[in-house]
């Protein structure tokens, strides 16, 4: 890869030129797209898998639950692996593990074997995003970080848009095994590109020892919290034993890890003192709150089109295309118009647009106004394109170079908890509203309207919080 020369004044490491950065984004994007697609494709196939294996839906749901728990378990190790093995090697390990998991999932002979193989797949998927963010941040440098994050965010939109379409098509027109085997070409091409274009000499001179105590505290904490959130239901809420017991245990272990990390953050698995950086801490809080806005919307919208609008799975996926187009429009064409605009302004505007784009779905009378709903999704996409890459860039921009790997790990841990927490809360609100609504089309529309109103209300929190971000212009 062609590099620019390091600055003699600062001694900063060399950064790739524009062509080299684009190749890095392409390499990481192709490798990650399988994981991004997989998260939505498999969700679509759960009902079909339950029928295929003759199993109950709660038992089949472990195809997703096991995957998520494995992701949560491996994320804390990502920063240490990058420090120890280097970013390129860790990236290729993550893709190879995900590839192996996808292959054996496609060869599964019963539901139990599929669940076990999904755990293997989840271990690979859990490494992909934090390693990707680290490599992208190191390749772009602070000057071009927003551009790099924006370009990658184009690929993030592929999952919510194409996932239901691809998943529905594979379930309806092909064997269920292709839901997993479709990942193979992306992983193979990603590995080839990584071998060619990612820098080979990215290992630190001083390797950090593994914090075994921190790992023993943090990993079960994240698994317990993820498991508790996945068990939340409208009937029992927090009172169910499979919710409050793992929730309490997870919170206690997390508190213990925080105390351990504060003793000597430089040797800890994750230095919790990273959260003293204002940009990092506020961005971390924003990514938690995005679970109630962006991620909850990704849960509600396909369900809305299928149950209220009467669309098929494939049609529901196609109806989400305007949201992806809106996000892509900002990312591709907004670079120059937004040059010099602070991250704070972008995030505030982004969440405001997301609220505006969600508003028509909150009114029962708009359920047949397809043109209005599609236009609203385009507006919502504009908000996602303006805010999502900005939050990720602001989180790591102010960190020292030596803290980037652990910083991206910490940020992704927060995101792993925030996304399911927000979507679970909104899902419980929808379930309770649906239970009390009359079993008619208008009743369903009212129930979804209640959930969407809550989503809009939660948008006020990140807008207010974003004002605490630095209002500089280093985001261009």
């Amino acid at each position: 890869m062609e590099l620019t020369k390091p600055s003699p004044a600062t001694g900063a490491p060399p950064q790739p030129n524009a062509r080299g950065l684009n190749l890095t984004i392409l390499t990481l994007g192709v490798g990650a797209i399988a994981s991004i697609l997989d998260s939505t494709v498999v969700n679509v196939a759960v009902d079909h898998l339950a029928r295929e294996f003759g199993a109950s839906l709660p038992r089949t749901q472990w195809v997703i639950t096991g995957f998520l728990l494995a992701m949560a378990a491996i994320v804390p190790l990502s920063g240490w692996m990058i420090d120890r093995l280097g970013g390129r090697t860790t990236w290729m390990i993550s893709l190879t593990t995900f590839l192996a998991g996808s292959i054996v999932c496609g060869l599964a002979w019963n539901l139990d074997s599929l669940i076990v193989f999904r755990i293997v797949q989840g271990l690979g998927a859990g490494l992909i995003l934090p390693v990707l963010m680290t490599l992208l941040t190191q390749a772009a440098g602070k000057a071009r970080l927003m551009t790099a994050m924006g370009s990658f965010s184009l690929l993030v939109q592929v999952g919510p848009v194409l996932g239901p379409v691809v998943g529905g098509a594979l379930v309806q027109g092909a064997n269920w095994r292709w839901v997993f085997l479709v990942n193979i070409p992306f992983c193979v091409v990603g590995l080839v590109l990584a071998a060619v274009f990612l820098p080979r000499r990215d290992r630190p001179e001083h390797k950090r020892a593994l914090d075994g105590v921190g790992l023993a505290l943090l990993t079960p904490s994240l698994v317990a919290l993820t498991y508790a959130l996945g068990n939340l239901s409208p009937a029992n809420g927090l009172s169910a034993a499979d919710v409050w017991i793992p929730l309490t245990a997870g919170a206690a272990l997390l508190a213990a890890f925080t105390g351990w990390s504060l003793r000597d953050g430089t040797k800890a698995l994750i230095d919790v003192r990273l959260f003293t950086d204002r940009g990092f801490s506020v961005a971390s809080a924003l990514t938690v709150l995005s679970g109630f806005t962006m991620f909850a919307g990704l849960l509600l919208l396909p369900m809305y089109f299928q149950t209220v609008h009467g669309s098929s799975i494939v049609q529901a996926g196609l109806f989400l295309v305007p949201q992806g187009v809106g996000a892509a429009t900002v990312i591709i064409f907004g670079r120059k118009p937004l040059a010099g605009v602070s991250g704070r302004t972008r995030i505030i505007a982004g969440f405001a647009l997301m609220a505006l784009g969600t508003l028509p779905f909150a009114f029962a009378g708009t359920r047949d106004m397809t043109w209005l709903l599609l236009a609203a999704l385009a507006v919502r996409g504009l908000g996602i394109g303006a805010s999502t890459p900005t939050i990720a860039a602001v989180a790591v921009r102010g960190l020292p170079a030596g803290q980037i790997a652990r910083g991206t790990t910490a940020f992704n841990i927060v995101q792993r908890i925030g996304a399911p927490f927000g979507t679970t809360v909104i899902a419980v609100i929808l379930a309770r509203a649906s239970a009390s609504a009359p079993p008619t089309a208008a009743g369903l529309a009212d129930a979804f309207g209640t959930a969407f109103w809550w989503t809009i209300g939660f948008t006020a929190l990140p807008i207010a919080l974003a004002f605490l971000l630095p209002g500089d212009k280093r985001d261009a």
Side-chain angles (χ1 to χ4, degrees), residues 297-320:
L298 297 178
L299 168 75
L300 291 176
L301 290 168
M303 295 171 58
Y304 175 89
F305 279 113
Q306 291 177 62
T307 59
V308 177
H309 197 267
S311 307
S312 67
I313 294 175
V314 175
Q315 287 174 330
L318 292 173
F319 279 137
L320 293 177

Side-chain angles (χ1 to χ4, degrees), residues 119-341:
I119 291 173
V120 175
Q121 195 185 33
L123 292 174
L127 289 174
I128 285 176
L129 189 56
V131 177
L132 182 147
M133 283 186 63
T134 299
L135 291 175
L136 202 58
T137 301
Q138 292 172 343
K142 295 181 180 181
R144 289 179 290 182
L145 182 56
M146 189 65 67
T147 299
M149 289 293 183
S151 299
F152 174 73
S153 292
L154 280 173
L155 292 171
V156 175
Q157 302 308 314
V158 169
V161 173
L162 293 184
V165 179
V166 173
L170 289 173
V171 169
Q172 293 175 10
N175 190 289
W176 65 267
R177 299 179 187 277
W178 285 99
V179 169
F180 305 102
L181 297 178
V182 71
N183 298 323
I184 293 176
F186 295 105
C187 293
V188 171
V189 174
L191 284 168
V192 172
L193 291 176
V196 175
F197 294 117
L198 292 185
R200 297 175 182 272
R201 299 177 181 176
D202 62 347
R203 296 186 185 182
E205 295 181 2
H206 304 288
K207 297 179 180 179
R208 185 165 51 97
L210 177 63
D211 175 18
V213 174
L215 184 65
L217 292 172
L218 185 57
T219 295
S221 167
L222 297 178
V223 171
L225 291 173
T226 303
Y227 180 74
L229 293 175
N231 289 333
L232 276 174
S233 68
N236 299 317
L238 295 174
S239 63
D242 61 355
V243 174
W244 72 263
I245 292 178
L247 191 65
T248 303
L253 287 169
L254 186 61
F257 172 79
T258 301
W260 172 260
S261 176
L262 287 173
R263 292 180 59 186
D264 190 352
T266 59
K267 296 180 180 178
L269 191 67
I270 294 172
D271 188 354
V272 297
R273 291 174 298 184
L274 292 170
F275 291 93
T276 60
D277 179 88
R278 184 168 61 148
F280 184 82
S281 60
V282 174
S284 297
L286 287 172
T287 200
V288 171
L289 293 173
S290 68
F292 295 89
T293 52
M294 185 185 76
F295 290 104
L298 297 178
L299 168 75
L300 291 176
L301 290 168
M303 295 171 58
Y304 175 89
F305 279 113
Q306 291 177 62
T307 59
V308 177
H309 197 267
S311 307
S312 67
I313 294 175
V314 175
Q315 287 174 330
L318 292 173
F319 279 137
L320 293 177
V321 169
Q323 180 170 270
V325 171
T329 299
V330 172
I331 294 167
I332 296 173
F333 300 106
R335 187 172 301 171
K336 289 185 178 180
L338 294 176
V341 177

Side-chain angles (χ1 to χ4, degrees), residues 13-35:
Q15 302 292 342
N17 59 17
R19 177 177 175 274
L21 179 57
N22 289 335
L23 287 173
T24 299
I25 293 171
L26 174 65
T27 298
L28 298 174
V30 170
I33 196 170
S35 175

